[in-house]
Amino acid sequence: MKPLILVTGGTGYIGSHTAVELIQDGFEVVIIDNLSNSRIEVLDGIEAITGVRPYYENFNLCDFKRLRQFCEKYHRLEAIIHFAALKAVGESVEKPLDYYHNNFESLINLLQIMGEYSLPNLVFSSSCTVYGQPDNLPVTEDSPIKKASSPYGNTKQVSEEIIQDAIVANNTIKAISLRYFNPIGAHPSAHIGELPLGIPLNLVPYLTQTVIGKRPELRVFGNDYETPDGTGIRDYIYVVDLARAHVIAIKRLLEGKNLKSYEVFNLGTGKGCSVLEIINAFEKATGEKVNYKFYPRRPGDIAAVYADTTLANRELGWKADTSLEQTLFTAWNWEKAIRHK
Ligand code: UFG
């Protein structure tokens, strides 16, 4: 029988790509998602790619009673990947209590249920936002965790602490936190991708929407940073490479290869890339022209962050190896595929 993995937030952007990679690697997947920031049609996309429709349950993880019923039904669960969370930095400043309530309560419920049903394995979706603006680049897993710049960032920092405390109290639990840098792109089939509801906040969906004509121009926030071309630098990682890392993390836990009961890995490419470099790579990959204009810096943005990926490369035997141009090409194909949605 195939191992059954729970993917919370599995109809979301990274969750759906991870569900695909898990299924293609021989796992069975059950998704819990309340569709607060995703669409049910994503299940069709996963099925179109893999030929398998994952099990699906629609409820909020803050509902502990419902979660317990879920565990009774799916009693052969072997591991959990926890993506489900509110994730918009700006919104978290306006609605901090929603963020603390939702992101903490869902995680606490999961950890409680893991103890109750002897479910030992957790992969947690964390973020490079926990580092703030690091003093040294590239940023390693040992870099200091600075005060978070938003309630969203704070939920990621504290969630990692909650998991570690839960492990101290219950030594059957093992967890891996994966700190993502900037995931971009879509599945090469263009059956799934990022579906921003409303106006996109992130660079690449805004860029592709501009090129397809949904937005008049791409606003480049800041050209006076202390970077070679003055624009902000990030570590853009292909979402399918990122999804593959989750499969490896799950296998590491199931096979007992983890060195400690709690581990943390940076998931990025190891290469910083500026906004102008993204624009140039997109134009080269697609032959399309990007209409952009410089605007003032966006409040809260940092100048530069990119990952030291040595630990993930060595311990997970994983590397993000899809080129930036290939990645941006998938983002463009996806934008064209959803043109009429
Ligand atoms: N940018 C623009 N124009 C836009 C959008 C973004 O110039 O329309 C620039 C930003 O100023 C930044 C870069 O593009 O320099 C990347 O911005 P994104 O909004 O795509 O990504 P962020 O790095 O700001 O944020 C992402 C995730 C967060 C996460 C954070 C961790 O969206 O959830 O990485 O650093 F917390």
Side-chain angles (χ1 to χ4, degrees):
M1 198 171 274
K2 294 176 177 177
L4 179 63
I5 312 297
L6 166 59
V7 180
T8 77
T11 54
Y13 176 42
I14 309 173
S16 57
H17 288 82
T18 300
V20 164
E21 296 304 309
L22 283 167
I23 293 168
Q24 290 183 332
D25 212 288
F27 291 92
E28 269 193 293
V29 169
V30 53
I31 288 172
I32 300 176
D33 201 308
N34 67 353
L35 304 180
S36 65
N37 192 27
S38 61
R39 298 194 193 158
I40 191 70
E41 291 78 17
V42 172
L43 295 178
D44 301 333
I46 296 172
E47 187 175 0
I49 299 167
T50 63
V52 178
R53 196 170 186 85
Y55 303 113
Y56 170 68
E57 302 286 340
N58 180 337
F59 68 94
N60 190 323
L61 288 164
C62 296
D63 184 346
F64 189 70
K65 250 174 71 184
R66 189 68 188 74
L67 186 57
R68 204 180 251 150
Q69 285 165 2
F70 171 89
C71 290
E72 295 293 336
K73 182 170 170 190
Y74 297 93
H75 48 82
R76 47 180 200 86
L77 219 54
E78 297 207 17
I80 299 170
I81 309 182
H82 182 40
F83 292 104
L86 301 177
K87 61 162 192 174
V89 175
E91 184 186 60
S92 79
V93 177
E94 287 157 29
K95 302 178 182 170
L97 302 183
D98 287 359
Y99 272 68
Y100 290 127
H101 175 71
N102 183 79
N103 291 4
F104 291 150
E105 197 166 344
S106 53
L107 174 66
I108 291 166
N109 282 350
L110 277 177
L111 289 165
Q112 232 150 21
I113 216 85
M114 287 174 72
E116 217 174 283
Y117 286 83
S118 303
L119 293 166
N121 303 309
L122 176 70
V123 173
F124 178 67
S125 178
S126 190
S127 166
C128 70
T129 195
V130 301
Y131 300 118
Q133 172 65 74
D135 298 327
N136 299 306
L137 291 173
V139 58
T140 67
E141 288 80 354
D142 300 327
S143 303
I145 302 292
K146 296 190 177 161
K147 184 172 163 40
S149 60
S150 71
Y152 160 74
N154 200 25
T155 68
K156 291 295 175 194
Q157 290 184 354
V158 177
S159 291
E160 288 197 16
E161 289 175 8
I162 292 173
I163 294 169
Q164 291 174 75
D165 289 344
I167 289 173
V168 171
N170 179 348
N171 59 15
T172 64
I173 297 179
K174 298 176 293 175
I176 296 178
S177 284
L178 300 177
R179 292 180 181 157
Y180 316 148
F181 284 67
N182 289 51
I184 59 166
H187 195 270
S189 67
H191 284 303
I192 55 171
E194 192 169 6
L195 265 180
L197 304 177
I199 300 172
L201 300 169
N202 295 118
L203 176 64
V204 171
Y206 206 103
L207 184 157
T208 56
Q209 288 198 1
T210 303
V211 176
I212 209 147
K214 281 190 199 159
R215 314 270 158 218
E217 65 185 8
L218 173 67
R219 296 166 301 167
V220 175
F221 296 133
N223 60 349
D224 55 354
Y225 284 108
E226 280 183 23
T227 58
D229 65 22
T231 65
I233 289 181
R234 298 288 183 275
D235 186 335
Y236 296 92
I237 174 173
Y238 183 38
V239 66
V240 176
D241 288 339
L242 185 62
R244 280 195 304 109
H246 291 75
V247 179
I248 294 170
I250 283 291
K251 288 183 178 167
R252 183 174 176 89
L253 290 171
L254 293 181
E255 293 164 12
K257 284 193 206 146
N258 50 312
L259 307 177
K260 292 174 265 169
S261 51
Y262 180 70
E263 295 181 311
V264 176
F265 295 102
N266 282 344
L267 297 183
T269 63
K271 202 177 159 297
C273 176
S274 75
V275 177
L276 287 182
E277 282 172 330
I278 287 281
I279 293 172
N280 288 336
F282 182 88
E283 291 185 339
K284 207 165 152 210
T286 65
E288 302 285 340
K289 192 99 196 71
V290 181
N291 181 33
Y292 71 88
K293 212 171 127 189
F294 292 118
Y295 278 74
R297 294 179 183 192
R298 186 170 64 175
D301 270 356
I302 58 173
V305 63
Y306 52 97
D308 184 320
T309 60
T310 312
L311 193 68
N313 299 157
R314 192 184 64 221
E315 290 302 323
L316 301 179
W318 166 91
K319 199 169 181 342
D321 47 17
T322 308
S323 75
L324 187 60
E325 284 176 26
Q326 268 176 284
T327 303
L328 290 166
F329 189 70
T330 66
W332 179 232
N333 277 344
W334 169 245
E335 186 63 59
K336 287 190 286 184
I338 57 170
R339 190 193 301 245
H340 303 297
K341 286 191 184 175

